[in-house]
């Protein structure tokens, strides 16, 4: 068996999502929950319909509350360790949709402290530069500044730290060690950090002096933080946050692990030029096609392992019937790998053209999004 690992600081190997569901103790999103969710939302989103968001905690409870008129707020975040790539955008794209259909507030935590504590060779200044850059990517997705609040751990310490210590007081070193695998040599900031990530799950309730339900959309690797958060919040008098988990956008070179910024050739960044995108997809995107055109025409390709197809499914082709058509044509051999790659290149570049345009004007808006204490 190949070794695999999924935790907030490492995702490697062939990720087995069924095993994660069992080991993490999250619930799969089944058909009846999906139907209920779509009914209440009044719309369907391809990311949940296609199982990219595949698991949850307490989503039924959250919907019960919503139906009773008890609106929730959304909480997600970004660790500014570097440039953002397409995989990083997935939770934000989904949050934007949730914010629009449910008409709710969104709190976004930027964990500059976390990345400083966990990245051996980066200064706080470098991380904060990335953070500024990452904020532009988030804003470019079109959030409503009246309903979207950025929390920066080092800048909002004045309101966050008093809450973080309440969490920290309920957390022991042994809980941290068993959740995150830290040891005697981990620095003390790392051991404390999860207390900060717990805070936005109840800070809006503190600020408004009203206990509100919280929904956290996030990639599955972040679940250990929220498992602890859920254990502790009731002890502080707040409801357990509900959560909804997505799988990882696969890296260009294959199906293992996730798209990662540390491999320039494994990731497509939000700032890549059309030529970069074309080169990366053509050269590196793992193909589910056959070795020769003749074989491909005869036996067809395998969309399930084909990275270009996966990118269309995860992100760039939201229309199910279009995606289904591509699936059929590729599988039957009617569509070649080259043709599939070209469709993907065009779709990504169409998205990035708009994104990069909005990104430029986003810089001036950052101040509007930063929460004012
Ligand atoms: N720790 C996350 C990261 O490294 C950032 C983060 C903070 C986050 N709060 C969150 C992610 C809530 C999802 C949901 O990227």
């Amino acid at each position: 068996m190949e070794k695999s690992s999924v935790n907030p600081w490492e995702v490697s190997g062939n990720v087995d999502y069924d095993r994660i569901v069992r080991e993490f103790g999250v619930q799969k999103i089944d058909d009846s929950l999906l139907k209920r969710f779509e009914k209440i939302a009044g719309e369907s989103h391809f990311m949940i319909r296609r199982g990219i968001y595949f698991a949850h905690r307490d989503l039924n409870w959250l919907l019960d509350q919503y139906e009773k008129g008890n609106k929730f707020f959304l909480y997600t975040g970004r660790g500014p360790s570097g440039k953002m790539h397409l995989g990083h955008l997935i939770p934000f794209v989904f949050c934007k949709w949730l914010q629009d259909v449910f008409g709710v507030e969104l709190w976004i935590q930027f964990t500059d402290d976390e990345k400083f504590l966990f990245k051996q060779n980066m200064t706080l200044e470098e991380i904060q530069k990335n953070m500024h850059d990452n904020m532009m990517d988030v804003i470019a997705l079109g959030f409503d500044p009246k309903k979207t609040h950025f929390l920066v751990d080092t800048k909002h310490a004045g309101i966050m730290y008093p809450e973080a210590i309440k969490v920290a007081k309920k957390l022991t070193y042994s809980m941290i060690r068993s959740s995150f695998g830290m040891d005697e040599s981990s620095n003390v900031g790392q051991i404390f950090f999860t207390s900060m990530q717990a805070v936005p799950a109840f800070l809006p309730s503190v600020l408004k002096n009203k206990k509100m339900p919280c929904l956290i959309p996030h990639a599955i690797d972040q679940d250990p933080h929220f498992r602890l958060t859920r254990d502790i919040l009731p002890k502080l008098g707040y409801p357990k946050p509900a959560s909804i988990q997505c799988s990882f956008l696969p890296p260009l070179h294959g199906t293992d692990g996730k798209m990662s910024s540390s491999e320039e050739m494994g990731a497509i960044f939000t700032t890549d030029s059309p030529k970069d995108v074309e080169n990366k997809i053509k050269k590196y995107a793992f193909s589910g096609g056959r070795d020769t055109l003749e074989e491909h025409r005869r036996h067809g390709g395998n969309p399930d392992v084909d990275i270009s197809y996966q990118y269309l499914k995860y992100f760039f082709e939201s229309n199910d019937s279009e995606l289904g058509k591509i699936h059929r044509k590729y599988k039957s051999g009617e569509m070649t790998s080259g043709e599939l790659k070209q469709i993907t290149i065009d779709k990504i570049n169409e998205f990035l053209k708009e994104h990069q345009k909005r990104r430029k004007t986003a810089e001036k808006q950052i101040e509007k999004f930063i929460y004012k204490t």
Side-chain angles (χ1 to χ4, degrees), residues 75-79 109 111 114-115 197 216-218 222 226:
Y75 159 37
T76 197
R78 161 76 190 152
Q109 178 180 35
T111 55
E114 174 190 18
K115 297 302 151 180
Q197 189 152 327
I216 314 174
H218 64 85
Q222 297 296 310
F226 301 122

Side-chain angles (χ1 to χ4, degrees), residues 87-102:
H88 293 137
L89 298 184
I90 287 181
F92 292 101
V93 168
F94 191 60
C95 276
K96 163 80 172 92
W97 177 77
L98 289 169
Q99 174 173 73
D100 290 347
V101 296
F102 288 103

Side-chain angles (χ1 to χ4, degrees), residues 19-256:
R19 200 185 91 196
I20 290 184
V21 166
R22 284 193 308 275
E23 285 181 3
F24 282 22
V26 291
Q27 309 292 307
K28 272 201 158 173
I29 298 174
D30 60 20
D31 248 18
S32 74
L33 177 56
L34 178 63
K35 290 221 173 69
R36 180 175 184 215
F37 180 82
E38 290 178 340
K39 189 161 165 243
I40 296 172
E43 280 182 27
S44 169
H45 193 276
F46 71 93
M47 286 183 183
I48 185 162
R49 198 163 69 226
R50 293 179 189 164
I52 293 158
Y53 276 85
F54 66 102
H56 74 102
R57 292 180 186 271
D58 274 345
L59 201 51
N60 267 312
W61 168 81
L62 188 93
L63 295 173
D64 293 342
Q65 294 295 313
Y66 186 80
E67 286 188 311
K68 283 187 210 153
N70 197 7
K71 261 201 187 180
F72 58 91
F73 66 90
L74 292 161
Y75 159 37
T76 197
R78 161 76 190 152
S81 51
K83 299 190 277 189
M84 282 176 92
H85 60 56
L86 299 176
H88 293 137
L89 298 184
I90 287 181
F92 292 101
V93 168
F94 191 60
C95 276
K96 163 80 172 92
W97 177 77
L98 289 169
Q99 174 173 73
D100 290 347
V101 296
F102 288 103
V104 292
E105 294 212 343
L106 165 64
W107 293 75
I108 302 176
Q109 178 180 35
F110 289 87
T111 55
D112 54 345
D113 55 344
E114 174 190 18
K115 297 302 151 180
F116 176 69
L117 291 164
F118 282 88
K119 295 274 162 187
Q120 286 321 319
N121 297 316
M122 288 180 83
T123 65
L124 190 54
E125 290 66 30
E126 282 167 332
I127 287 163
Q128 290 176 339
K129 222 172 134 271
N130 290 331
M131 180 166 69
H132 181 85
D133 210 68
N134 294 175
M135 285 173 170
M136 288 157 54
D137 280 308
V138 171
I139 293 170
L141 296 173
F143 291 102
D144 176 354
K146 287 200 260 335
K147 285 199 229 143
T148 309
H149 312 290
F150 289 179
L151 289 169
V152 177
D153 286 358
T154 58
K155 298 214 163 41
H156 292 91
I159 53 173
M160 295 182 76
Y161 190 67
E163 306 311 321
I165 58 175
K166 291 172 197 162
V167 176
K169 201 171 181 176
K170 305 271 181 219
L171 272 176
T172 64
Y173 172 55
S174 89
M175 289 160 82
I176 299 296
R177 194 177 45 196
S178 61
S179 296
F180 301 111
M182 281 159 199
D183 60 33
E184 281 0 48
S185 70
S186 305
N187 71 55
V188 295
Q190 292 178 340
I191 295 161
F192 174 76
F193 171 70
T194 196
S195 315
M196 286 299 282
Q197 189 152 327
V199 169
F202 66 108
L203 187 67
S205 293
V206 174
L207 295 171
K208 297 203 170 120
N209 196 17
K210 175 180 156 212
K211 290 177 184 161
M212 290 180 291
C214 169
L215 173 62
I216 314 174
H218 64 85
I220 185 70
D221 61 328
Q222 297 296 310
D223 183 67
H225 287 298
F226 301 122
R227 210 156 43 206
L228 291 173
T229 306
R230 284 168 52 85
D231 285 345
I232 289 169
L233 290 209
K235 297 181 186 164
L236 301 179
Y238 298 99
K240 290 184 181 192
S243 57
I244 180 166
Q245 287 85 24
C246 63
S247 55
F248 304 109
L249 187 68
L252 281 164
H253 51 69
T255 45
D256 283 1

Side-chain angles (χ1 to χ4, degrees), residues 202-342:
F202 66 108
L203 187 67
S205 293
V206 174
L207 295 171
K208 297 203 170 120
N209 196 17
K210 175 180 156 212
K211 290 177 184 161
M212 290 180 291
C214 169
L215 173 62
I216 314 174
H218 64 85
I220 185 70
D221 61 328
Q222 297 296 310
D223 183 67
H225 287 298
F226 301 122
R227 210 156 43 206
L228 291 173
T229 306
R230 284 168 52 85
D231 285 345
I232 289 169
L233 290 209
K235 297 181 186 164
L236 301 179
Y238 298 99
K240 290 184 181 192
S243 57
I244 180 166
Q245 287 85 24
C246 63
S247 55
F248 304 109
L249 187 68
L252 281 164
H253 51 69
T255 45
D256 283 1
K258 63 169 179 177
M259 193 179 261
S260 162
S261 314
S262 48
E263 325 165 80
E264 184 76 25
M265 288 308 146
I268 294 173
F269 294 95
T270 60
T271 49
D272 279 355
S273 70
K275 205 78 216 133
D276 294 334
V277 172
E278 182 178 352
N279 286 339
K280 286 182 183 182
I281 294 285
K282 284 194 174 157
K283 275 200 206 142
Y284 303 111
F286 183 80
S287 164
R290 303 279 171 168
D291 290 343
T292 66
L293 183 60
E294 201 197 340
E295 271 181 67
H296 189 83
R297 293 286 189 216
R298 187 166 332 134
H299 303 291
N302 180 0
D304 300 332
V305 300
D306 191 286
I307 290 299
S308 302
Y309 180 79
Q310 293 303 315
Y311 289 0
L312 294 175
K313 172 181 158 185
Y314 268 76
F315 203 132
F316 297 100
E317 183 49 80
S318 57
N319 183 315
D320 288 354
S321 82
E322 280 304 315
L323 188 71
K325 224 187 286 170
I326 293 170
H327 193 276
R328 260 192 321 279
K329 283 192 184 169
Y330 191 59
K331 215 174 159 130
S332 72
E334 188 187 336
M335 181 183 284
T336 65
S337 280
E339 287 163 348
L340 175 58
K341 285 194 175 198
Q342 195 56 52

